[in-house]
């Protein structure tokens, strides 16, 4: 082939070599979906695209976004956390229990912890649930689906036991007891941004920094891409695996506190099916359920897609049953597009792809690939001589 022929055979997309319109649409599918949702609901309702309504909808998104960021960490490690919804309920109930007063044993006294103590203890409870999940998965080799499914029932059951199935109402606290201020998160703003949205922005920025600028983030991508290779290269795989579940649990605890503060009541039924919404946001954002691929930016966009779609359907008066149908269709479409994306990026030689992706992950982690065994070295030498042909 001459140089002229080669020039003619190159795709002329206008966006540079190898970049096509289809690729651009596929890479930006989550953002495009969000724009389509905003345009459609703005045309259907004049109340949708107003500043006040956008703030309200973003406030609704914040709770799910916190859960989704924690879920992203777990999914990057090729895991899943089905317990986050129940953790939301448990941490909210614990906060309500503490704010209503704790009977001290062996005395007739009742303790009313300060709000900052309530916040720390509630988030610690969420992190403890995550720690149990992480130890079950990393140390006892329980499948993530099974371990977190069990914790989902345990956490929900404990929340029901604490409240006896009832709701803790009116959690504003009392000046005489010195435990006021719990509803500050749910009802106050800094400037025009509610506290819940600010919390979402801070957590997203911190998570992005951890994933892109710290050894933990590089280890997470490396172990999620190829756990065995990462372990042989010195990555503390077990600690990373435990850590992502602790982060997910702590963020679920934070989400539970924000939700309870907004409602000024704690119910053991809170957070029902939130884990599925969080998983959907991560998938819509382009993360791979096989691990090693995903971003905080994409996950946030996915959370906005789910949240704006839900609120938009409510605003135009669509029934709850049809809302479930539409949301399910969006999730299925997102998974299908993810599959198309992965297939389009896959090299023809699957072996080369695995080796290349592993090497890239380890290089990103600043680690050397593990040494080849004698058999692998002989096979590689043979492949080099024959060009991969049997």
């Amino acid at each position: 082939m001459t140089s002229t022929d080669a020039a003619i055979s190159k795709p002329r997309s206008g966006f540079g070599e190898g970049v096509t319109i289809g690729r651009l649409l596929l890479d930006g599918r989550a953002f495009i979906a969000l724009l389509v949702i905003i345009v459609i609901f703005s045309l259907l309702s004049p109340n949708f695209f107003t500043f006040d309504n956008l703030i309200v909808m973003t406030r609704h998104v914040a709770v799910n976004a916190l859960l989704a960021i924690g879920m992203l960490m777990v999914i990057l490690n090729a895991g899943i956390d089905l317990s986050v919804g129940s953790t939301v309920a448990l941490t909210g109930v614990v906060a309500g229990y503490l704010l209503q007063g704790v009977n001290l044993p062996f005395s007739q006294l009742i303790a009313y912890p300060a709000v900052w103590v309530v916040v720390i203890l509630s988030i610690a409870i969420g992190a403890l649930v995550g720690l149990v999940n992480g130890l079950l998965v990393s140390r006892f080799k329980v499948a993530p689906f099974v371990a977190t499914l069990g914790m989902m029932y345990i956490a929900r059951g404990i929340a029901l036991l604490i409240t006896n199935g009832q709701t803790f109402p009116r959690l504003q606290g009392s000046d005489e007891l010195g435990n006021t201020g719990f509803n500050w998160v749910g009802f106050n703003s800094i400037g025009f941004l509610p506290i819940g949205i600010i919390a979402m922005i801070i957590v997203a920025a911190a998570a992005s920094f951890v994933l892109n600028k710290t050894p933990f983030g590089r280890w997470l991508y490396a172990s999620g891409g190829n756990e065995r290779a990462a372990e042989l290269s010195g990555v503390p795989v077990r600690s990373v695996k435990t850590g992502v579940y602790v982060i997910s649990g702590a963020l679920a605890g934070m989400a539970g506190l924000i939700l309870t503060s907004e409602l000024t009541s704690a119910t053991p039924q809170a957070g029902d099916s939130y884990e599925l919404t969080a998983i959907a946001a991560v998938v819509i954002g382009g993360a791979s359920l096989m691990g090693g691929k995903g971003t905080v930016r994409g996950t946030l966009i996915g959370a906005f897609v789910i949240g704006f779609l839900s609120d938009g359907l409510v605003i135009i008066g669509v029934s709850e049953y049809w809302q479930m149908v539409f949301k399910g269709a969006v999730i299925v479409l997102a998974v299908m597009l993810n599959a198309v994306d992965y297939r389009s990026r896959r090299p023809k030689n699957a072996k080369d792809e695995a080796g290349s992706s592993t090497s890239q992950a380890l290089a990103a982690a600043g680690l050397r690939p593990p040494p080849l065994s004698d058999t692998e070295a002989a096979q590689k030498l043979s492949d080099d001589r024959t060009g991969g042909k049997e």
Side-chain angles (χ1 to χ4, degrees), residues 37 66 74 84 122 124 160 170 178 181 203 219 223 233 245 254 273 297 305 322-323 326 341 349 355-356 388 390:
I37 288 172
L66 290 175
V74 177
V84 293
S122 299
L160 288 165
R170 297 184 296 278
V203 169
W219 292 342
S223 59
S233 300
Y245 285 96
M254 185 182 295
S273 77
R297 181 182 64 253
V305 168
W322 277 108
Q323 291 179 36
F326 283 121
D341 186 20
N349 190 329
S356 175
E390 298 295 338

Side-chain angles (χ1 to χ4, degrees), residues 102-125:
V102 181
N103 291 312
L104 297 178
F106 312 112
S107 70
Q108 300 298 321
L109 301 176
I110 301 177
Y112 293 92
V115 170
W116 66 269
V117 176
V118 173
V119 170
I120 292 176
L121 288 179
S122 299
I123 294 178
I125 291 292

Side-chain angles (χ1 to χ4, degrees), residues 177-244:
L177 301 174
N179 62 348
T180 58
F182 183 71
N183 55 349
W184 181 81
V185 173
F187 291 92
N188 284 276
S189 302
I190 296 179
F192 60 88
L193 289 178
I195 301 301
I197 297 178
I198 294 175
M200 176 188 71
I201 294 172
I202 293 174
V203 169
S208 181
F209 177 81
V210 168
L211 288 179
N212 296 300
K213 301 295 183 182
T214 67
F216 181 84
R218 294 189 289 272
W219 292 342
L220 177 55
Y221 279 108
S223 59
N226 190 322
E227 183 174 313
R228 181 59 178 162
E231 187 174 24
L232 292 174
S233 300
V235 173
V237 172
R238 288 185 179 183
S239 299
V240 171
K241 193 182 292 290
T242 304
V244 294

